[in-house]
Each structure stands twice: as structure tokens, then as C-alpha cells.
Amino acid sequence: MTGVDAKCMYSDMDGDLWVGTSTDGLLRFKDAAIRMYTTADGLPANYAMAVLSSHDGTLWVGSNCGGVSRFDGQSFKAYKEPEGLLNSCVWSMAEDSNHDLWIGTWGGGIFRFRDGHFTQPARTLRCLVWWWKGCHGNCIRSFETSSTGLLARHCEMLSATPGHTVSKRN
């Protein structure tokens, strides 16, 4: 393996290091071994932008133009448009205190994943992200969770509370 263009890194509950790349898929560093997962292994795209281990240890991978995938240790299950993800260019993910996954996309805004389906509860948030000076569309590059809600970062910081009220944070 030569020259990997890493897009994200994540350490899971077992201490394994996962690295998403722009061309080589998803790399797993476990002990002294490296395992590469690509489209040949069922990953929907070799451009892995986000990796997240949820509360139950499930590994989620966000792919640029490949949607969101759930990895059970053996295979990937992709979630895209049929499940309600209207934009498959996933750039960020977070899990909130209710164990909902929040998906940030490049050009499609924010989506919540619950019970196998996506919804886009913060229509206002999409509009705000589109409107702010310097943004290139509905693009969410990173998330944080806190006890008071979900924070999405792009050009400015937004806070979406559990009731989905959106406010700008200083």
C-alpha cells in the first residue's frame, strides 16, 4: 500500500483504527494487521468520508455519492434513496443521546436515520445552510452532539435542539 489519501479516522470500542480514504475505500488497523474494504467487499463507494461506531458497536460508513453503510463485521448494507436519503454524498455523521444517527451531506443538508429510514426534520436548517455567505449549498462537514442537542458545522455553527429548533451559535 502506497500513499493513502485519508479523509477521516475513527477509533472504535475495541480500539481498532478505521481510516476512510478517497480512493482505497476503508482501512481497518487491528493489532499489527491492516485490512482494506472496497467495493469488491460490498462498500458502495471507495470514497469513505465518515466513519462512526454507534452506541451498540455497529460501524457506520458515510461514502461520497455512496450513501450510508452499516457494517456487521462481515458485510455492508447500504442505505440510500429508497430509505429516504435524498442525497448520497455523505460527509459527516453523529449519534445523539436518543441513538438516532444524523447524516450530513454535501448539497443535501441534514438527515436523521431512525428505524431503518431517513427523514429530513430540519427544513429550516437546509435553508439556513444554503443562505449563509460562503457556503456552497447544503453541505454539512462535521457534527458534534451535546446534552442540549446536535451541532452541525460548516460556515457557521448551528444548533438543532431535540425539538429541532435551529439557532446560530456564537
Side-chain angles (χ1 to χ4, degrees):
M1 178 179 355
T2 62
V4 173
D5 183 14
K7 294 299 177 188
C8 65
M9 287 191 284
Y10 189 87
S11 180
D12 67 16
M13 293 178 185
D14 297 327
D16 298 346
L17 179 64
W18 297 86
V19 178
T21 73
S22 62
T23 57
D24 296 316
L26 183 65
L27 305 176
R28 179 184 189 182
F29 294 82
K30 182 177 183 75
D31 301 322
I34 301 172
R35 168 77 160 91
M36 181 182 296
Y37 297 93
T38 66
T39 54
D41 300 296
L43 192 64
N46 284 334
Y47 203 131
M49 292 295 296
V51 180
L52 174 74
S53 181
S54 61
H55 71 283
D56 62 0
T58 300
L59 189 77
W60 296 90
V61 181
S63 299
N64 193 26
C65 302
V68 174
S69 299
R70 181 183 186 275
F71 184 61
D72 64 9
Q74 301 297 317
S75 62
F76 293 91
K77 175 173 178 22
Y79 296 89
K80 296 181 183 181
E81 289 83 2
E83 293 80 27
L85 183 62
L86 304 178
N87 183 302
S88 63
C89 297
V90 175
W91 279 47
S92 58
M93 295 185 295
E95 182 179 31
D96 67 17
S97 59
N98 296 321
H99 306 303
D100 293 338
L101 291 181
W102 291 86
I103 313 301
T105 67
W106 184 261
I110 295 175
F111 294 85
R112 179 177 56 196
F113 186 72
R114 178 190 285 170
D115 300 326
H117 297 283
F118 294 94
T119 57
Q120 196 167 32
R123 213 48 166 162
T124 306
L125 185 57
R126 282 187 77 192
C127 297
L128 285 172
V129 173
W130 176 262
W131 179 79
W132 281 341
K133 183 179 179 185
C135 292
H136 299 99
N138 301 316
C139 39
I140 307 300
R141 292 188 182 163
S142 65
F143 281 115
E144 287 179 30
T145 56
S146 72
S147 60
T148 59
L150 180 75
L151 304 176
R153 296 177 188 262
H154 182 67
C155 300
E156 305 257 358
M157 186 176 284
L158 303 178
S159 175
T161 65
H164 311 299
T165 303
V166 178
S167 61
K168 181 176 168 182
R169 206 173 147 221
N170 295 328

